Amino acid sequence: MNAYRYIFCILMLFAAFNYKINAQTLVEAPVPEAIVIDKYNVEEFLGEGETFTGQAPLKARFLANAEEYDDYTCVCEWTFKRDEEEILKRFDKDVDYDFNEAGTFMVKLYVTYSHKNNDKLVLEYEYEPFQIVISESSLKVPNAFSPNGDGINDYFNVFEVKSIISFSAAIYNRWGQQLYKWGINEIDCESCGWDGTYDGSPVKEGVYFVVVEAVGADGIKYNVRSTINLLRGYTEETSNQ
C-alpha cells in the first residue's frame, strides 16, 4: 500500500511540474503591437489586426513582445506584404520599417516556442495582421498670394499635399534671380513658404516664377514651372466688393 502511495505521489509531482511549465508559457503568450509615427512625429499605437491609414513618409515599429524562457527557444517571424505581394521577411522580435510607397501593407507575426534540448515544438502563435494603408500622392501649386499681413494667404506654398517623399521649390524674378527656396520640411504648414520678401525687404507686386520638383510615394513625379501673382493690395474685404 505504501509503495502504491509512493508511486502516486511521484506521478502527481511529475504532472504538477509539467503543468507549471506549460501554464507559464500559455500565460505569457505574446501580445504584439505597433507604433506608427507620421511626418509630424505624432505617434499612434495599434493592436493586433488594427488598421492605420495615412500618407508617406511614415515610420513604424512592430513589437512582438515575446518573452524568453530558460529551456525554450523563441522564434519570431514577421511577413510584410504590399498589395498581396510579399516584400520582406524578418526574424527579429522588434522590426522598424519606413513606408515610402503608396499601397496597402499587411504585416503579420508568427511566434513559435520549441524546447532547446530536442527542438520539439511546444507552442505556435499566429496573429491577425496589422494593416497600413498609404494614400496616393497629390500636390497643387497656387497661382497667386497676398503677403499683406492680414493673416490670410500671406505665404506662398504648395497645398493639398499627400504622400510626397521628395520635394524642392524655388521662386525667381523675371530676370532669373532666385529669391527664395524651400524643401520638404517646409511644406504643408500655415506659416511656411515664401513671404514675399528678399533679403528681409518686401518685393514689388507683380508676376514671379516658381519651379517645383517633387516625387510621390506612388512614383508620380511633379515638375511644375509656372507664374505666380504677388498681390499686396488684395484682402478679404476687397474680394467681397
Side-chain angles (χ1 to χ4, degrees):
M1 185 67 178
N2 290 336
Y4 285 114
R5 182 178 296 177
Y6 177 78
I7 295 173
F8 177 78
C9 291
I10 293 297
L11 291 175
M12 290 298 294
L13 288 172
F14 183 77
F17 177 79
N18 284 336
Y19 175 78
K20 183 178 180 181
I21 294 298
N22 291 329
Q24 182 187 36
T25 304
L26 288 171
V27 170
E28 300 296 334
V31 181
E33 62 181 343
I35 306 171
V36 294
I37 308 171
D38 66 17
K39 64 179 181 179
Y40 305 107
N41 289 321
V42 176
E43 295 184 354
E44 183 170 332
F45 288 82
L46 301 179
E48 176 193 354
E50 292 188 336
T51 299
F52 178 87
T53 300
Q55 58 174 297
L58 181 78
K59 296 181 178 295
R61 184 169 179 80
F62 299 93
L63 310 172
N65 294 325
E67 297 288 341
E68 290 284 357
Y69 301 98
D70 291 338
D71 297 329
Y72 295 93
T73 300
C74 175
V75 176
C76 298
E77 177 184 311
W78 294 93
T79 301
F80 289 71
K81 292 184 178 181
R82 177 191 175 203
D83 299 331
E84 301 302 326
E85 179 183 355
E86 185 174 316
I87 59 173
L88 178 67
K89 192 180 290 290
R90 295 283 297 275
F91 295 93
D92 303 297
K93 286 187 177 180
D94 302 332
V95 177
D96 295 313
Y97 191 83
D98 294 342
F99 294 91
N100 292 314
E101 297 180 323
T104 299
F105 295 80
M106 309 293 285
V107 183
K108 190 167 186 174
L109 171 66
Y110 301 87
V111 179
T112 58
Y113 285 95
S114 57
H115 201 281
K116 291 182 178 179
N117 292 334
N118 54 23
D119 293 329
K120 183 179 179 181
L121 181 65
V122 177
L123 288 170
E124 183 175 24
Y125 298 97
E126 179 179 347
Y127 296 91
E128 291 297 318
F130 299 98
Q131 181 169 281
I132 309 295
V133 181
I134 303 298
S135 65
E136 296 181 347
S137 68
S138 69
L139 181 150
K140 292 187 178 180
V141 182
N143 58 15
F145 77 122
S146 55
N148 51 31
D150 64 354
I152 301 174
N153 206 23
D154 283 334
Y155 292 85
F156 179 87
N157 209 336
V158 295
F159 64 102
E160 293 189 13
V161 177
K162 290 183 180 179
S163 291
I164 297 298
I165 60 175
S166 174
F167 176 91
S168 64
I171 303 293
Y172 300 87
N173 61 20
R174 66 181 64 187
W175 297 281
Q177 181 185 18
Q178 186 180 98
L179 305 179
Y180 185 78
K181 65 178 180 179
W182 68 107
I184 194 169
N185 293 326
E186 300 171 272
I187 61 176
D188 199 22
C189 60
E190 293 182 358
S191 58
C192 295
W194 186 40
D195 63 358
T197 65
Y198 178 67
D199 279 345
S201 300
V203 300
K204 296 180 180 180
E205 280 194 331
V207 178
Y208 295 84
F209 302 90
V210 60
V211 175
V212 175
E213 295 181 349
V215 179
D218 46 11
I220 294 178
K221 295 182 179 181
Y222 298 83
N223 295 295
V224 180
R225 287 161 173 74
S226 64
T227 59
I228 56 176
N229 292 285
L230 191 156
L231 308 170
R232 294 193 184 279
Y234 184 87
T235 65
E236 189 175 11
E237 292 181 357
T238 59
S239 65
N240 293 327
Q241 292 179 357

